[in-house]
Amino acid sequence: MEIVSENYSFGGCQTVYTHRSETCGCDMTFGAYLPPQARHGPVPVLWYLSGLTCTHENAMTKGGFQQHAARHGLAVIFPDTSPRGTTVSDDEAYDLGQGAGFYVNATRDPWKSHFRMYDYVVTELRNLVTEHLSVQDKHGITGHSMGGHGAITIALRNEALFESLSAFAPIAQPTQSDWGRKQLSAYLGDDETAWAGHDSTLLLEEYGWKGDILVDQGASDQFLDLLKPEALADMMARRRQPGQVRMQRGYDHSYFFVNTFASDHVAWHAERLL
């Protein structure tokens, strides 16, 4: 790993790293915040997965997570949302290609050689972080929008790897949404049975979750029809899954929404990880 930048923040250090990814076949960048407690020994990890068009930097600079992570003693990892570079396939649309990896392993050309964000987050970057940073092998995961979809689907499919789970305005049922059907068909093909493993609502029905789940959703979110929070809330009720889906009056889909409730989510994870 090579250090791109380091900044002192709330007594800890916000660092940006770049490294060669064998999984994605390109250089990848991620942010890592280590709280002051990490100077005295390894700390638990909260993973934050970002949404469409974002890089590692958006939540790192706009989410306000460092202050809360420092208070509770959690590290926060901010992966990028896709592979990048001149040799990596892209699309003119904002919701496909670079910046829109959707946290799946693509099986179709031209995406399959690089777009393997599922394996990157679950295996390669996780191993890199636990090997080289002052962190415990004790992980929670959250994310926003496409990243909320990624957080829930990854956690439900890898229950043994994560101790806590939350999401901000996740794409809750991508198999039934234009934010999902387009990307899943492009990356995985037209066989919709292959999509089910990347649908939060369907995965919750199949697997459930070992703990409780916290989901915050802005009630004035301009993308509500694409996110479909009611599908996930209904499945939680039908499956009697412990947790909360909180509709927050007046809030939209922006980082102002994420920043407002970041404190709640960090505290939620800290209570379950510490």
Side-chain angles (χ1 to χ4, degrees):
M1 300 193 303
E2 295 182 7
I3 294 175
V4 176
S5 64
E6 283 185 304
N7 298 97
Y8 201 60
S9 177
F10 294 99
C13 190
Q14 176 64 64
T15 307
V16 174
Y17 296 95
T18 186
H19 70 102
R20 183 67 184 177
S21 169
E22 296 301 323
T23 301
C24 297
C26 64
D27 291 340
M28 295 291 287
T29 303
F30 71 96
Y33 177 72
L34 291 182
Q37 295 89 335
R39 290 195 291 271
H40 307 291
V43 296
V45 186
L46 175 59
W47 292 77
Y48 180 94
L49 305 185
S50 289
L52 289 168
T53 75
C54 291
T55 69
H56 68 282
E57 190 174 21
N58 295 73
M60 190 182 81
T61 58
K62 299 179 183 178
F65 287 92
Q66 291 87 348
Q67 179 179 6
H68 314 303
R71 185 167 68 250
H72 292 285
L74 296 183
V76 187
I77 304 299
F78 304 94
D80 201 348
T81 56
S82 78
R84 298 181 190 272
T86 57
T87 63
V88 176
S89 297
D90 201 6
D91 191 273
E92 292 182 356
Y94 76 95
D95 57 354
L96 189 66
Q98 296 188 34
F102 232 73
Y103 303 101
V104 303
N105 290 335
T107 58
R108 296 187 71 191
D109 289 328
W111 312 107
K112 65 182 183 182
S113 58
H114 296 287
F115 281 73
R116 303 188 59 81
M117 290 301 295
Y118 179 89
D119 280 354
Y120 176 70
V121 171
V122 171
T123 303
E124 185 178 32
L125 185 56
R126 179 190 176 99
N127 290 342
L128 200 66
V129 165
T130 54
E131 180 179 352
H132 292 286
L133 301 183
S134 181
V135 299
Q136 301 173 12
D137 191 11
K138 199 169 188 179
H139 305 256
I141 191 167
T142 188
H144 175 232
S145 193
M146 179 184 73
H149 138 82
I152 297 174
T153 57
I154 285 173
L156 294 184
R157 292 178 60 177
N158 299 276
E159 182 180 275
L161 299 183
F162 297 94
E163 299 301 320
S164 55
L165 170 60
S166 75
F168 300 81
I171 302 173
Q173 196 171 27
T175 61
Q176 302 301 316
S177 169
D178 288 343
W179 271 0
R181 296 186 65 84
K182 173 182 178 179
Q183 294 84 356
L184 294 173
S185 62
Y187 295 141
L188 303 179
D190 296 329
D191 181 3
E192 296 190 17
T193 60
W195 303 358
H198 299 283
D199 185 302
S200 296
T201 300
L202 298 179
L203 286 171
L204 183 64
E205 180 179 28
E206 182 175 0
Y207 297 121
W209 173 246
K210 61 186 177 182
D212 45 358
I213 303 171
L214 173 62
V215 175
D216 274 309
Q217 171 65 61
S220 296
D221 193 314
Q222 60 271 43
F223 303 115
L224 272 176
D225 290 342
L226 295 168
L227 300 170
K228 299 188 179 298
E230 66 279 2
L232 185 62
D234 179 63
M235 185 56 67
M236 287 177 67
R238 286 167 53 195
R239 212 184 188 286
R240 300 179 181 178
Q241 170 66 50
Q244 305 174 51
V245 177
R246 308 191 303 188
M247 296 296 293
Q248 303 291 0
R249 185 185 302 274
Y251 286 92
D252 58 17
H253 199 68
S254 70
Y255 273 97
F256 295 107
F257 158 69
V258 173
N259 191 298
T260 299
F261 298 101
S263 175
D264 288 0
H265 284 249
V266 173
W268 169 279
H269 288 277
E271 183 178 343
R272 288 149 184 80
L273 292 171
L274 294 171

